[in-house]
Amino acid sequence: MNGKEGIGVLFVCLGNICRSPTAEGVFAARVAAAGLGPRFRIDSAGTGDWHLGKPPDPRTRRAAEARGYDLEPLRARRIEPADFARFHYILAMDNLNLRDLKRLCPAESTGRLDLFLRASGSLHASLEVPDPYSGDASHFERVLDLIEQGAHGLLMALRERHGL
Ligand code: 4NP
């Protein structure tokens, strides 16, 4: 993450090895393709601490690589108190993550919290990106489908809101 400038977007899931690093990689790719890299700070974190320092799950990396995203350099970390001031948008993958974030977040920053798919303007009945960890390859593909759609919608929403 580069300095304090730019619109800070933090994606959050449970382990920071499947969904949120995927969202970080896919959203960063969309932002770069739009030539908006310097306008954003993009990162991800987990609410749990089981996988600290680990790269994304091999199943996540494989699925992402097949669609042209390199998640290899990312390393899992846990959300920390400073994140709530550092990032303007703190976007949870599911309702459990959002509930945990609300518990950890200082009152003055709760307005920064949302579900990723709600912030993306998704019209899906469910606004959750389901945890694929115990699933099969189809669950990882579904995560990527939802995140690619969500990243597109999120970038459109933020471009409009910030006049980019
Ligand atoms: P993520 O998936 O929250 O999308 O990174 C998970 C990764 C690990 C675990 C659960 C979910 N786990 O229980 O270790």
Side-chain angles (χ1 to χ4, degrees):
M1 214 173 59
N2 49 1
K4 289 201 157 164
E5 315 268 298
I7 302 162
V9 181
L10 180 67
F11 298 100
V12 179
C13 63
L14 189 56
N16 194 210
I17 55 168
C18 298
R19 294 164 293 173
S20 63
T22 301
E24 177 185 349
V26 171
F27 187 66
R30 292 285 184 283
V31 163
L36 293 171
R39 307 300 298 269
F40 284 91
R41 290 179 287 116
I42 303 163
D43 199 1
S44 66
T47 56
D49 63 357
W50 308 285
H51 305 282
L52 300 183
K54 300 270 175 59
D57 186 285
R59 298 164 296 174
T60 292
R61 277 185 288 164
R62 262 199 303 278
E65 190 170 326
R67 298 196 198 186
Y69 308 105
D70 179 15
L71 306 184
E72 205 90 51
L74 304 182
R75 294 294 178 269
R77 72 175 184 89
R78 192 179 203 178
I79 183 123
E80 57 188 35
D83 289 324
F84 295 106
R86 209 183 283 147
F87 293 95
H88 304 97
Y89 299 94
I90 302 168
L91 303 176
M93 293 295 134
D94 65 27
N95 286 312
L96 174 68
N97 310 145
L98 186 59
R99 191 195 69 194
D100 289 340
L101 286 172
K102 283 181 176 160
R103 204 162 31 78
L104 297 166
C105 186
E108 68 270 17
S109 297
T110 51
R112 300 172 179 222
L113 306 180
D114 204 351
L115 284 173
F116 163 57
L117 290 183
R118 186 157 53 214
S120 80
S122 171
L123 298 174
H124 284 286
S126 168
L127 294 175
E128 298 192 291
V129 180
D131 181 350
Y133 193 65
S134 306
D136 60 26
S138 73
H139 294 83
F140 286 82
E141 291 302 320
R142 177 75 179 141
V143 163
L144 264 166
D145 290 342
L146 288 170
I147 286 176
E148 285 188 324
Q149 292 165 25
H152 177 76
L154 180 65
L155 183 55
M156 288 210 307
L158 295 183
R159 288 185 81 151
E160 184 163 322
R161 188 170 314 156
H162 295 274
L164 299 174

